[in-house]
Amino acid sequence: MTDVQKAVDFVRANRERYLSELKEFVAIPSVSTSDEHKDDMARAAEWVAAQLRSLNMDKVEIMPTGGHPCVYGEWMGAGKDVPTVLIYGHYDVQPVDPIELWENQPFDAVVKGDNIYARGTSDMKGQVLASIKAVEAVINTTGSPVNLKWLIEGEEEIGSEHLGDFIQKHADMLKADICLNPDAGMIAADLPTITYGLRGLCYMELRVYGPTKDLHSGLFGGTIHNPAQALIELVAGMHDKKGKVTLPGFYDKVRKLSKQERADFALLPVTEQFFLEQTGVPALWGEPTFIPAERVGARPTLEVNGLLSGFTGQGSKTVLPSHAMAKISCRLVPDQTPEETFEQMKAYLEANAPKSIRWELLSLHNAGTAITDPNSAGVQAMAHAFETVWGKRPLFKREGGSIGVVVQLQQYAGVESVLTGFGLPEDNVHSPNEKLHLPTWYKGIESLVHFIYNMSA
Ligand code: BES
Ligand code: MN
């Protein structure tokens, strides 16, 4: 029996245990954005560290950052002449709201048919565990043919704000031939996918202030510019009728898509129909001169993520609110930068905000845009692994989401990433009823086993 077959057999014999470990991992409510879950974050880091310790790494450490800690692990026992694979993951998850739309408790996983439902199953505790279990299978059967490092962070879902400093400070420690990053996803269960581009992010909060206190709308309406109205007037002006963003200079640095890139986008099986089916909207929206896959993968956008003002309780209240707030984020593409985008938003507000209100713009978090090397040894090793397990070449795509670490590793440690994952578009990531498709997950674990042996070849 070949080495890889021994490890794959190990995976097949241990599926039940993997599932119960996944339930244990997702039961820890490691929501990074709220202080309320600080202890849970520490517990999740501990849980990951214990898993890594069970793999007999030379070193496993929970390392402080300016925010939530990183779990670092290392095993250099394969020797100087073979590659080192750095495996990235994040143990934090998104908040669960709106909680009333969940069909089960979000941290009490339920298996229904082929899927397991709980926050973090797909994004990305399932993917973190898949990597750990693939390595476990290799170590318990033949030993690892490559050196291994682990970087499992706790702030991905809030912008990896402190990870850049951490990587800069520990650049030597993190040196590797490739980073395996399974935080992206697949186009469909039968279409293994390698992602070679991610959008960046510039996340802002816009506050509009009017009167010093809430007012009676009958006594003051018509003389005071309502901050809720002023805010939505400003927000409405951020797009033109064609769906283009109006911030001054917004498109100046956007790299034009080549003929070849546009031809590649046209071949992806993500059509208008796909977006209609996945989302339930009555019609699509956006720049008419780009197909939906391009609009998501290669065009910058501006989204309102949240709006808050005035009275939103039951019944009615005739109030003229004293302030209003919007959470606004831009997804960016090469060669835009979050810093320039923030300045463009400021310039837009300076030019368009009326004299009747005061405003304040905060920068909440940023992520750089990333294009990874599609010809790296890691990408080749992963593509071959998919070919073996799925029986077909993976699709290569640029994804609309953001993952801060990819650029940070390129910039500060010179490490390229291979971006993949076993989540599906219908997994409800960041949404109620997040789930993971178990048959795809099990195949994913096997493909990571193949990836590890392919890396040593
Ligand atoms: N795993 C996602 C990003 C993703 C999803 C990439 C699907 C490719 C395919 C990640 O955890 C995420 O949601 N990131 C945030 C980062 C942001 C807060 C900087 C995002 O994209 O909103
Ligand atoms: Mn993720």
Side-chain angles (χ1 to χ4, degrees), residues 90 94 123 156-159 183-185 198 201 331 365 367 399 401-403 430:
H90 61 84
Q94 286 276 334
D123 188 8
E156 198 281 338
E157 297 292 2
I158 49 172
D183 196 21
L198 293 165
L201 191 75
R331 296 283 171 173
H365 62 242
E399 180 59 63
S402 311
I403 309 174
H430 295 201

Side-chain angles (χ1 to χ4, degrees), residues 161-337:
E161 192 191 328
H162 301 95
L163 191 62
D165 284 348
F166 182 88
I167 292 175
Q168 239 170 323
K169 196 163 150 203
H170 302 288
D172 278 336
M173 175 182 92
L174 295 167
K175 277 263 168 319
D177 294 279
I178 192 76
C179 172
L180 169 71
N181 185 331
D183 196 21
M186 303 181 42
I187 292 180
D190 61 346
L191 297 174
T193 309
I194 290 176
T195 297
Y196 70 91
L198 293 165
R199 289 196 290 185
L201 191 75
C202 169
Y203 203 115
M204 298 164 274
E205 181 170 314
L206 173 58
R207 298 179 182 171
V208 169
Y209 303 101
T212 51
K213 54 185 184 270
D214 282 5
L215 302 171
H216 188 297
S217 65
L219 301 188
F220 293 94
T223 59
I224 304 297
H225 197 171
N226 185 317
Q229 179 193 337
L231 176 72
I232 56 182
E233 284 163 355
L234 285 169
V235 169
M238 290 173 194
H239 287 97
D240 69 14
K241 287 247 160 22
K242 290 202 163 136
K244 287 234 178 315
V245 176
T246 58
L247 308 187
F250 189 71
Y251 293 98
D252 288 358
K253 297 257 176 92
V254 173
R255 243 189 257 172
K256 275 225 164 58
L257 283 172
S258 68
K259 275 217 172 81
Q260 185 58 50
E261 280 176 294
R262 297 203 75 177
D264 290 343
F265 269 112
L267 288 177
L268 292 175
V270 282
T271 56
E272 296 217 8
Q273 198 53 34
F274 170 91
F275 284 96
L276 289 170
E277 273 164 22
Q278 290 290 328
T279 62
V281 294
L284 299 186
W285 176 92
E287 293 178 282
T289 49
F290 294 92
I291 61 170
E294 291 172 332
R295 267 137 61 187
V296 169
R299 295 292 296 168
T301 55
L302 180 151
E303 298 294 329
V304 179
N305 301 110
L307 283 171
L308 189 69
S309 187
F311 178 69
T312 56
Q314 199 186 9
S316 59
K317 178 187 182 194
T318 47
V319 66
L320 195 162
S322 68
H323 58 275
M325 183 273 276
K327 306 262 187 189
I328 299 172
S329 61
C330 293
R331 296 283 171 173
L332 309 176
V333 300
D335 298 302
Q336 293 176 297
T337 66

Side-chain angles (χ1 to χ4, degrees), residues 28 45 50 56 58 66 75 77-78 114 139 143 152 206 286 311 313 330 334 359 364 372 374-375 406 434 439:
I28 308 170
N56 291 318
D58 304 328
W75 181 80
D114 277 343
I139 286 181
I152 314 292
L206 173 58
F311 178 69
C330 293
W359 59 270
L364 297 196
T372 60
N375 301 310
V406 178
E434 179 175 348

